[in-house]
Amino acid sequence: SGDLKLYLTGGASNSDAILSLGGTTSSVLFTDATLQNLFANVTPAEAVAGSIKYRALSFKNTSAFTAYAAVVYISQETTSADTTIALAYDSTGTQSVVNENTAPSGPTLTFTTPLNLGSGISLGDVAAAGVRRIWFRRTVTAGAAQASDSGKITINVGSSP
């Protein structure tokens, strides 16, 4: 619904997805749930050597009602055979990393590639004004072919019990 939103992280007014590296939730919305707007394009050097990058977004319930049984999953995997996206739920919601090449580590997160609602990552019930932190990991295989790439995430919310 219009009251369930994704926000950048990385500082109270961060507006740059490349700097969405956890820590404080930004006041700036991540308005397009496509993954190419979360990660910069892969450079030729990254394609040759391979690359792993991280980003964090905050899922916020701005409504006056609880969002029950929230689940996040990848509704459209990347179109490149050489690129994968994985997600992890940060239950502390406080982790940050020093740069996009550093994995969040306190506590260690479990990254998975849920490609449908049934295998999605449960965020639980999200109370009014509640926030959940979601980490994204993009892996580019060494020797990746040049390709235009895209993907999409979806957060599904159930009905009240």
Side-chain angles (χ1 to χ4, degrees):
S1 124
D3 294 325
L4 305 172
K5 300 173 180 168
L6 287 171
Y7 287 83
L8 296 174
T9 63
S13 60
N14 176 41
S15 61
D16 187 347
I18 291 172
L19 299 176
S20 193
L21 302 173
T24 303
T25 298
S26 175
S27 61
V28 178
L29 285 167
F30 180 67
T31 56
D32 186 343
T34 55
L35 297 170
Q36 69 266 27
N37 290 330
L38 187 57
F39 292 96
N41 291 332
V42 176
T43 66
E46 288 173 324
V48 169
S51 169
I52 299 175
K53 306 284 186 194
Y54 297 89
R55 298 284 187 276
L57 294 176
S58 289
F59 169 68
K60 188 184 279 189
N61 179 1
T62 62
S63 79
F65 305 98
T66 297
Y68 292 99
V71 175
V72 62
Y73 64 97
I74 302 166
S75 52
Q76 178 188 334
E77 175 61 292
T78 64
T79 54
S80 169
D82 297 320
T83 304
T84 60
I85 296 292
L87 308 175
Y89 170 46
D90 175 1
S91 61
T92 68
T94 59
Q95 290 195 63
S96 63
V97 295
V98 296
N99 61 51
E100 67 181 352
N101 302 308
T102 303
S105 62
T108 301
L109 302 178
T110 302
F111 284 88
T112 62
T113 305
L115 296 176
N116 56 54
L117 179 59
S119 65
I121 298 170
S122 173
L123 304 177
D125 296 341
V126 184
V131 177
R132 298 290 189 272
R133 178 67 48 83
I134 306 163
W135 281 89
F136 298 78
R137 180 183 68 201
R138 181 187 70 187
T139 303
V140 178
T141 305
Q146 183 176 359
S148 176
D149 202 5
S150 65
K152 194 166 200 148
I153 60 164
T154 298
I155 298 178
N156 189 73
V157 176
S159 57
S160 61

PDB file of all heavy atoms in Angstrom, residues 129-149:
ATOM      1  N   ALA A 129       4.530   2.876  12.223  1.00  0.00           N
ATOM      2  CA  ALA A 129       5.807   3.577  12.391  1.00  0.00           C
ATOM      3  C   ALA A 129       6.986   2.623  12.560  1.00  0.00           C
ATOM      4  O   ALA A 129       8.113   3.062  12.784  1.00  0.00           O
ATOM      5  CB  ALA A 129       5.760   4.573  13.549  1.00  0.00           C
ATOM      6  N   GLY A 130       6.755   1.302  12.427  1.00  0.00           N
ATOM      7  CA  GLY A 130       7.830   0.330  12.554  1.00  0.00           C
ATOM      8  C   GLY A 130       8.738   0.324  11.336  1.00  0.00           C
ATOM      9  O   GLY A 130       8.348   0.706  10.237  1.00  0.00           O
ATOM     10  N   VAL A 131       9.969  -0.142  11.558  1.00  0.00           N
ATOM     11  CA  VAL A 131      10.990  -0.173  10.510  1.00  0.00           C
ATOM     12  C   VAL A 131      11.671  -1.535  10.526  1.00  0.00           C
ATOM     13  O   VAL A 131      11.927  -2.099  11.592  1.00  0.00           O
ATOM     14  CB  VAL A 131      12.047   0.937  10.731  1.00  0.00           C
ATOM     15  CG1 VAL A 131      13.145   0.866   9.680  1.00  0.00           C
ATOM     16  CG2 VAL A 131      11.394   2.305  10.738  1.00  0.00           C
ATOM     17  N   ARG A 132      11.981  -2.070   9.344  1.00  0.00           N
ATOM     18  CA  ARG A 132      12.768  -3.290   9.198  1.00  0.00           C
ATOM     19  C   ARG A 132      13.905  -2.998   8.221  1.00  0.00           C
ATOM     20  O   ARG A 132      13.700  -2.362   7.192  1.00  0.00           O
ATOM     21  CB  ARG A 132      11.933  -4.458   8.655  1.00  0.00           C
ATOM     22  CG  ARG A 132      10.774  -4.871   9.546  1.00  0.00           C
ATOM     23  CD  ARG A 132      11.276  -5.528  10.827  1.00  0.00           C
ATOM     24  NE  ARG A 132      10.210  -6.109  11.601  1.00  0.00           N
ATOM     25  CZ  ARG A 132       9.494  -5.476  12.521  1.00  0.00           C
ATOM     26  NH1 ARG A 132       9.745  -4.198  12.782  1.00  0.00           N
ATOM     27  NH2 ARG A 132       8.549  -6.093  13.185  1.00  0.00           N
ATOM     28  N   ARG A 133      15.104  -3.497   8.523  1.00  0.00           N
ATOM     29  CA  ARG A 133      16.279  -3.268   7.673  1.00  0.00           C
ATOM     30  C   ARG A 133      16.517  -4.476   6.775  1.00  0.00           C
ATOM     31  O   ARG A 133      16.565  -5.610   7.224  1.00  0.00           O
ATOM     32  CB  ARG A 133      17.497  -3.036   8.564  1.00  0.00           C
ATOM     33  CG  ARG A 133      18.826  -2.836   7.869  1.00  0.00           C
ATOM     34  CD  ARG A 133      18.949  -1.558   7.066  1.00  0.00           C
ATOM     35  NE  ARG A 133      18.533  -0.351   7.718  1.00  0.00           N
ATOM     36  CZ  ARG A 133      19.266   0.375   8.554  1.00  0.00           C
ATOM     37  NH1 ARG A 133      20.485   0.019   8.868  1.00  0.00           N
ATOM     38  NH2 ARG A 133      18.784   1.479   9.087  1.00  0.00           N
ATOM     39  N   ILE A 134      16.689  -4.210   5.492  1.00  0.00           N
ATOM     40  CA  ILE A 134      16.948  -5.249   4.495  1.00  0.00           C
ATOM     41  C   ILE A 134      18.286  -4.940   3.823  1.00  0.00           C
ATOM     42  O   ILE A 134      18.498  -3.827   3.330  1.00  0.00           O
ATOM     43  CB  ILE A 134      15.832  -5.303   3.432  1.00  0.00           C
ATOM     44  CG1 ILE A 134      14.468  -5.466   4.098  1.00  0.00           C
ATOM     45  CG2 ILE A 134      16.090  -6.424   2.430  1.00  0.00           C
ATOM     46  CD1 ILE A 134      13.309  -5.121   3.190  1.00  0.00           C
ATOM     47  N   TRP A 135      19.165  -5.938   3.806  1.00  0.00           N
ATOM     48  CA  TRP A 135      20.453  -5.805   3.123  1.00  0.00           C
ATOM     49  C   TRP A 135      20.385  -6.521   1.777  1.00  0.00           C
ATOM     50  O   TRP A 135      19.730  -7.555   1.649  1.00  0.00           O
ATOM     51  CB  TRP A 135      21.580  -6.400   3.966  1.00  0.00           C
ATOM     52  CG  TRP A 135      22.017  -5.474   5.056  1.00  0.00           C
ATOM     53  CD1 TRP A 135      21.509  -5.395   6.315  1.00  0.00           C
ATOM     54  CD2 TRP A 135      23.031  -4.476   4.963  1.00  0.00           C
ATOM     55  NE1 TRP A 135      22.153  -4.408   7.020  1.00  0.00           N
ATOM     56  CE2 TRP A 135      23.089  -3.830   6.214  1.00  0.00           C
ATOM     57  CE3 TRP A 135      23.892  -4.065   3.948  1.00  0.00           C
ATOM     58  CZ2 TRP A 135      23.986  -2.799   6.483  1.00  0.00           C
ATOM     59  CZ3 TRP A 135      24.790  -3.045   4.208  1.00  0.00           C
ATOM     60  CH2 TRP A 135      24.830  -2.424   5.454  1.00  0.00           C
ATOM     61  N   PHE A 136      21.098  -5.968   0.818  1.00  0.00           N
ATOM     62  CA  PHE A 136      21.175  -6.508  -0.532  1.00  0.00           C
ATOM     63  C   PHE A 136      22.630  -6.776  -0.859  1.00  0.00           C
ATOM     64  O   PHE A 136      23.503  -5.955  -0.543  1.00  0.00           O
ATOM     65  CB  PHE A 136      20.624  -5.490  -1.544  1.00  0.00           C
ATOM     66  CG  PHE A 136      19.186  -5.162  -1.319  1.00  0.00           C
ATOM     67  CD1 PHE A 136      18.803  -4.284  -0.315  1.00  0.00           C
ATOM     68  CD2 PHE A 136      18.204  -5.730  -2.108  1.00  0.00           C
ATOM     69  CE1 PHE A 136      17.469  -3.984  -0.102  1.00  0.00           C
ATOM     70  CE2 PHE A 136      16.868  -5.437  -1.902  1.00  0.00           C
ATOM     71  CZ  PHE A 136      16.501  -4.566  -0.892  1.00  0.00           C
ATOM     72  N   ARG A 137      22.886  -7.910  -1.498  1.00  0.00           N
ATOM     73  CA  ARG A 137      24.239  -8.248  -1.948  1.00  0.00           C
ATOM     74  C   ARG A 137      24.164  -8.542  -3.441  1.00  0.00           C
ATOM     75  O   ARG A 137      23.429  -9.416  -3.874  1.00  0.00           O
ATOM     76  CB  ARG A 137      24.764  -9.474  -1.204  1.00  0.00           C
ATOM     77  CG  ARG A 137      26.181  -9.862  -1.631  1.00  0.00           C
ATOM     78  CD  ARG A 137      26.644 -11.117  -0.930  1.00  0.00           C
ATOM     79  NE  ARG A 137      25.861 -12.265  -1.420  1.00  0.00           N
ATOM     80  CZ  ARG A 137      25.725 -13.407  -0.771  1.00  0.00           C
ATOM     81  NH1 ARG A 137      26.287 -13.589   0.405  1.00  0.00           N
ATOM     82  NH2 ARG A 137      25.009 -14.379  -1.286  1.00  0.00           N
ATOM     83  N   ARG A 138      24.934  -7.794  -4.226  1.00  0.00           N
ATOM     84  CA  ARG A 138      25.024  -8.073  -5.666  1.00  0.00           C
ATOM     85  C   ARG A 138      26.364  -8.721  -5.939  1.00  0.00           C
ATOM     86  O   ARG A 138      27.414  -8.178  -5.611  1.00  0.00           O
ATOM     87  CB  ARG A 138      24.906  -6.796  -6.500  1.00  0.00           C
ATOM     88  CG  ARG A 138      24.983  -7.108  -8.013  1.00  0.00           C
ATOM     89  CD  ARG A 138      25.041  -5.882  -8.862  1.00  0.00           C
ATOM     90  NE  ARG A 138      26.336  -5.220  -8.692  1.00  0.00           N
ATOM     91  CZ  ARG A 138      26.630  -4.036  -9.210  1.00  0.00           C
ATOM     92  NH1 ARG A 138      25.740  -3.364  -9.885  1.00  0.00           N
ATOM     93  NH2 ARG A 138      27.820  -3.510  -9.028  1.00  0.00           N
ATOM     94  N   THR A 139      26.320  -9.907  -6.549  1.00  0.00           N
ATOM     95  CA  THR A 139      27.535 -10.627  -6.895  1.00  0.00           C
ATOM     96  C   THR A 139      27.656 -10.692  -8.403  1.00  0.00           C
ATOM     97  O   THR A 139      26.727 -11.134  -9.089  1.00  0.00           O
ATOM     98  CB  THR A 139      27.502 -12.061  -6.316  1.00  0.00           C
ATOM     99  OG1 THR A 139      27.323 -11.977  -4.900  1.00  0.00           O
ATOM    100  CG2 THR A 139      28.779 -12.814  -6.634  1.00  0.00           C
ATOM    101  N   VAL A 140      28.800 -10.249  -8.911  1.00  0.00           N
ATOM    102  CA  VAL A 140      29.110 -10.341 -10.330  1.00  0.00           C
ATOM    103  C   VAL A 140      30.227 -11.364 -10.471  1.00  0.00           C
ATOM    104  O   VAL A 140      31.289 -11.229  -9.856  1.00  0.00           O
ATOM    105  CB  VAL A 140      29.565  -8.977 -10.902  1.00  0.00           C
ATOM    106  CG1 VAL A 140      29.932  -9.094 -12.367  1.00  0.00           C
ATOM    107  CG2 VAL A 140      28.487  -7.919 -10.685  1.00  0.00           C
ATOM    108  N   THR A 141      29.982 -12.401 -11.260  1.00  0.00           N
ATOM    109  CA  THR A 141      30.958 -13.466 -11.473  1.00  0.00           C
ATOM    110  C   THR A 141      32.136 -12.938 -12.291  1.00  0.00           C
ATOM    111  O   THR A 141      31.946 -12.196 -13.254  1.00  0.00           O
ATOM    112  CB  THR A 141      30.295 -14.637 -12.226  1.00  0.00           C
ATOM    113  OG1 THR A 141      29.151 -15.045 -11.482  1.00  0.00           O
ATOM    114  CG2 THR A 141      31.244 -15.799 -12.401  1.00  0.00           C
ATOM    115  N   ALA A 142      33.353 -13.334 -11.910  1.00  0.00           N
ATOM    116  CA  ALA A 142      34.541 -12.940 -12.674  1.00  0.00           C
ATOM    117  C   ALA A 142      34.390 -13.388 -14.118  1.00  0.00           C
ATOM    118  O   ALA A 142      33.920 -14.490 -14.394  1.00  0.00           O
ATOM    119  CB  ALA A 142      35.794 -13.550 -12.056  1.00  0.00           C
ATOM    120  N   GLY A 143      34.766 -12.522 -15.042  1.00  0.00           N
ATOM    121  CA  GLY A 143      34.642 -12.821 -16.467  1.00  0.00           C
ATOM    122  C   GLY A 143      33.236 -12.597 -16.999  1.00  0.00           C
ATOM    123  O   GLY A 143      32.881 -13.103 -18.068  1.00  0.00           O
ATOM    124  N   ALA A 144      32.443 -11.819 -16.280  1.00  0.00           N
ATOM    125  CA  ALA A 144      31.049 -11.575 -16.678  1.00  0.00           C
ATOM    126  C   ALA A 144      30.977 -10.902 -18.044  1.00  0.00           C
ATOM    127  O   ALA A 144      31.791 -10.035 -18.368  1.00  0.00           O
ATOM    128  CB  ALA A 144      30.353 -10.707 -15.638  1.00  0.00           C
ATOM    129  N   ALA A 145      29.999 -11.327 -18.817  1.00  0.00           N
ATOM    130  CA  ALA A 145      29.746 -10.702 -20.121  1.00  0.00           C
ATOM    131  C   ALA A 145      29.057  -9.363 -19.898  1.00  0.00           C
ATOM    132  O   ALA A 145      28.288  -9.200 -18.950  1.00  0.00           O
ATOM    133  CB  ALA A 145      28.865 -11.607 -20.965  1.00  0.00           C
ATOM    134  N   GLN A 146      29.334  -8.419 -20.799  1.00  0.00           N
ATOM    135  CA  GLN A 146      28.659  -7.127 -20.714  1.00  0.00           C
ATOM    136  C   GLN A 146      27.188  -7.333 -21.052  1.00  0.00           C
ATOM    137  O   GLN A 146      26.844  -7.999 -22.028  1.00  0.00           O
ATOM    138  CB  GLN A 146      29.287  -6.131 -21.676  1.00  0.00           C
ATOM    139  CG  GLN A 146      28.665  -4.760 -21.566  1.00  0.00           C
ATOM    140  CD  GLN A 146      29.361  -3.745 -22.444  1.00  0.00           C
ATOM    141  OE1 GLN A 146      30.331  -4.062 -23.136  1.00  0.00           O
ATOM    142  NE2 GLN A 146      28.887  -2.527 -22.427  1.00  0.00           N
ATOM    143  N   ALA A 147      26.307  -6.788 -20.208  1.00  0.00           N
ATOM    144  CA  ALA A 147      24.870  -6.956 -20.434  1.00  0.00           C
ATOM    145  C   ALA A 147      24.118  -5.852 -19.732  1.00  0.00           C
ATOM    146  O   ALA A 147      24.552  -5.346 -18.700  1.00  0.00           O
ATOM    147  CB  ALA A 147      24.405  -8.313 -19.896  1.00  0.00           C
ATOM    148  N   SER A 148      22.991  -5.490 -20.292  1.00  0.00           N
ATOM    149  CA  SER A 148      22.066  -4.613 -19.594  1.00  0.00           C
ATOM    150  C   SER A 148      21.353  -5.489 -18.571  1.00  0.00           C
ATOM    151  O   SER A 148      20.918  -6.593 -18.886  1.00  0.00           O
ATOM    152  CB  SER A 148      21.081  -4.018 -20.590  1.00  0.00           C
ATOM    153  OG  SER A 148      20.136  -3.238 -19.920  1.00  0.00           O
ATOM    154  N   ASP A 149      21.248  -5.036 -17.339  1.00  0.00           N
ATOM    155  CA  ASP A 149      20.744  -5.886 -16.275  1.00  0.00           C
ATOM    156  C   ASP A 149      19.624  -5.192 -15.524  1.00  0.00           C
ATOM    157  O   ASP A 149      19.594  -3.967 -15.418  1.00  0.00           O
ATOM    158  CB  ASP A 149      21.884  -6.218 -15.314  1.00  0.00           C
ATOM    159  CG  ASP A 149      21.637  -7.469 -14.500  1.00  0.00           C
ATOM    160  OD1 ASP A 149      20.634  -8.140 -14.737  1.00  0.00           O
ATOM    161  OD2 ASP A 149      22.474  -7.763 -13.635  1.00  0.00           O
TER     162      ASP A 149
END
